[in-house]
Amino acid sequence: MLFVELIRHKRDGQTLSAEQLKALVDAYTDGELPDYQMAAFLMAVYFQSMNPEELAAWTEAMLFSGEVLDFSDIEGAKVDKHSTGGVGDKVSLILAPLAAAAGLKVPMISGRGLGHTGGTLDKLESIPGFDVNQPVGRFKELVDQLGLGLIGQTGEIAPADKKLYALRDVTATVECIPLIASSIMSKKLAEGIDALVLDVKVGSGAFMKDIGRARELARTMIDIGASMDRPVRALITDMDQPLGLTVGNSLEVIESIETLRGEGPDDLTQITIELVVEMLDVAGQLDDRDQAFKELRRLLDDGSALKIFADIIEAQGGDPGVCDDPNRLPSAAHTVEFCADEPGVIRSINAEQVGVAALELGAGRRKKEDDIDPAVGLVFHKKRAAQVAAGEPILTIHYNDDANLEGAKQRLRQAIEIGTGDINEPPLILDRLK
Ligand code: URA
């Protein structure tokens, strides 16, 4: 096959066959197709897009470029959730044990934080001893016995995506809906799940800044799922301010434990319960929506979900004592209040800038290779639409290194807008797609 011809076809807006697309993915994964040709192809896709049949074939080729987990011998519906990422988004830590307590099987493969967004693996690793690198056999055992497993991407799952993503990152082809959708779906479908729920975030802290693009991404992923007989649902949710009250790894674990105990902030609790209800629905296990809400609330309030979280921490080598005693988690050497300069109402909190402030304290990484400090971060006392007096604390900064403090404070000053007048709070759940 002459790859230059395929690049030319795509450049000129023609349609490629499933066989041609598979040949491109396979040759690139095996190292036969050089980066410069794949880069040209990706740029052609950026401008010419792919039709649904092409995208299904491209995603399938990526999915089968490596190991595809098979959990069919495990009883029960295997369902996962994927979030497109945000600031303070610790939903997975609460959702996986809650969904397991509700009877679902959750084989969750998560990622690390990059830039202003956090990652589930970094949060889990702030729990002393927690090991996200479990062999596939053990991962299966955990899902079977405890109802969930929480691991990181293995080199064997969708290796085509790993190579393609690295190339997209340096060729300005990340921001392309078919390429994002195929990247996410190839990894998720390789987890051996029966169904998937997407949390597509929109707003200042999200990958998608406007709801039109968020809907288009969600629809594209739902269609890819349908092409492979995997039902997919999506919620479009607000990420125009941080989710919950904490940003930073061990601080977010503490907030997750509080939420698992039924004492979490309303936005975090609501979004988590809504997503688990969608998981039950997509798995065909939802009889009555109101009843499911009540039952999930009960599983938080009576400690059932927290017990499962403690069990999975222990099973993956971590210290389950953190669930009763947050002092066992890493904590920062210093704290300082960040206060309002003037009285008024908090008009907006730019989530991306808040994420960058936390990154500057050491909670995140600029480059994949960077180390993070699990202890540092931010704890909000006031969020959007709250009244503040001059000098009143809006949040507490947890930090270890004085050198990072001034930059983070400046960033927060830019991120938080105080003014006057009424605020129109957007709903947390902006749309539901299936
Ligand atoms: N997340 C992914 O996994 N892939 C993308 O392309 C973008 C975000």
Side-chain angles (χ1 to χ4, degrees):
M1 195 164 305
L2 254 187
F3 290 118
V4 66
E5 282 305 314
L6 302 187
I7 299 168
R8 187 175 290 120
H9 272 38
K10 188 41 65 193
R11 182 200 67 189
D12 295 343
Q14 294 174 32
T15 302
L16 300 189
S17 69
E19 193 195 2
Q20 289 169 325
L21 291 161
K22 181 168 163 33
L24 278 161
V25 171
D26 289 350
Y28 186 59
T29 311
D30 295 345
E32 286 158 29
L33 183 75
D35 278 349
Y36 53 82
Q37 281 192 301
M38 184 50 91
F41 182 76
L42 293 172
M43 191 57 86
V45 173
Y46 182 95
F47 285 110
Q48 298 290 1
S49 195
M50 283 187 185
N51 70 28
E53 291 74 31
E54 286 180 299
L55 191 55
W58 175 258
T59 309
E60 195 167 335
M62 287 171 72
L63 160 66
F64 287 106
S65 67
E67 186 173 4
V68 179
L69 304 186
D70 179 3
F71 286 1
S72 55
D73 52 340
I74 295 181
E75 241 181 77
K78 277 73 69 182
V79 190
D80 195 8
K81 180 259 341 175
H82 175 81
S83 158
T84 55
V87 178
D89 181 3
K90 68 281 290 174
V91 166
S92 291
L93 274 65
I94 310 150
L95 169 140
L98 180 59
L104 295 172
K105 296 282 185 328
V106 189
M108 188 174 268
I109 302 184
S110 306
R112 296 193 180 279
L114 189 60
H116 70 279
T117 61
T120 300
L121 296 184
D122 299 322
K123 298 175 215 235
L124 289 170
E125 283 182 347
S126 69
I127 300 169
F130 196 102
D131 186 359
V132 299
N133 301 308
Q134 303 290 328
V136 168
R138 174 71 180 143
F139 181 46
K140 251 181 113 162
E141 237 172 64
L142 293 170
V143 173
D144 193 17
Q145 289 164 11
L146 297 178
L148 76 169
L150 305 171
I151 66 165
Q153 187 78 35
T154 74
E156 296 89 53
I157 288 186
D161 178 61
K162 198 165 184 203
K163 273 190 93 173
L164 283 167
Y165 193 85
L167 186 63
R168 286 168 55 209
D169 208 20
V170 293
T171 55
T173 48
V174 169
E175 306 90 339
C176 170
I177 284 181
L179 296 179
I180 297 170
S182 53
S183 163
I184 293 172
M185 292 302 286
S186 63
K187 285 178 290 207
K188 283 285 140 185
L189 297 178
E191 283 179 5
I193 46 176
D194 301 318
L196 176 67
V197 171
L198 299 166
D199 180 4
V200 179
K201 305 233 167 261
V202 62
S204 60
F207 211 41
M208 296 287 139
K209 306 288 183 206
D210 76 85
I211 191 158
R213 299 252 312 152
R215 280 199 187 100
E216 193 185 335
L217 177 63
R219 175 57 54 211
T220 307
M221 291 195 280
I222 290 169
D223 290 348
I224 290 175
S227 76
M228 290 177 213
D229 288 329
R230 300 290 217 301
V232 177
R233 293 283 165 78
L235 295 187
I236 312 279
T237 68
D238 178 51
M239 183 35 74
D240 218 25
Q241 66 172 343
L243 184 59
L245 298 173
T246 60
V247 182
N249 299 285
S250 67
L251 294 169
E252 292 193 46
V253 172
I254 295 171
E255 188 176 23
S256 300
I257 291 168
E258 282 163 5
T259 308
L260 279 164
R261 200 180 279 131
E263 295 164 3
D266 289 346
D267 60 347
L268 182 58
T269 306
Q270 187 200 335
I271 227 167
T272 308
I273 291 182
E274 294 266 7
L275 286 162
V276 179
V277 168
E278 293 300 322
M279 288 168 81
L280 289 166
D281 195 16
V282 79
Q285 295 188 7
L286 184 71
D287 296 328
D288 179 322
R289 201 166 261 273
D290 290 343
Q291 193 51 39
F293 272 88
K294 282 194 198 126
E295 174 62 7
L296 293 169
R297 191 71 243 188
R298 182 187 69 76
L299 294 171
L300 294 176
D301 292 339
D302 74 4
S304 307
L306 183 59
K307 162 87 174 63
I308 293 184
F309 190 51
D311 290 346
I312 192 68
I313 292 174
E314 185 163 25
Q316 293 195 212
D319 173 9
V322 299
C323 293
D324 295 320
D325 180 7
N327 292 326
R328 290 169 178 246
L329 288 157
S331 64
H334 315 284
T335 58
V336 63
E337 307 291 8
F338 179 88
C339 300
D341 290 334
E342 50 181 330
V345 59
I346 299 182
R347 298 198 60 83
S348 62
I349 302 178
N350 183 300
E352 179 168 1
Q353 292 305 314
V354 169
V356 175
L359 183 156
E360 283 172 341
L361 294 171
R365 41 177 91 71
R366 288 173 208 279
K367 298 188 280 9
K368 273 205 211 90
E369 312 70 57
D370 292 349
D371 285 332
I372 59 160
D373 181 344
V376 299
L378 311 167
V379 179
F380 280 82
H381 311 300
K382 304 264 180 187
K383 289 187 58 186
R384 189 175 53 208
Q387 292 286 340
V388 282
E392 193 178 356
I394 297 175
L395 60 104
T396 303
I397 303 176
H398 293 238
Y399 67 103
N400 278 324
D401 187 347
D402 283 345
N404 304 329
L405 190 58
E406 231 9 78
K409 277 187 182 168
Q410 263 179 32
R411 185 79 60 178
L412 289 166
R413 218 161 274 126
Q414 284 162 12
I416 301 171
E417 186 199 350
I418 297 175
T420 51
D422 292 337
I423 307 292
N424 263 342
E425 273 281 52
L428 196 55
I429 314 287
L430 297 159
D431 205 355
R432 249 170 244 279
L433 281 79
K434 55 173 149 178

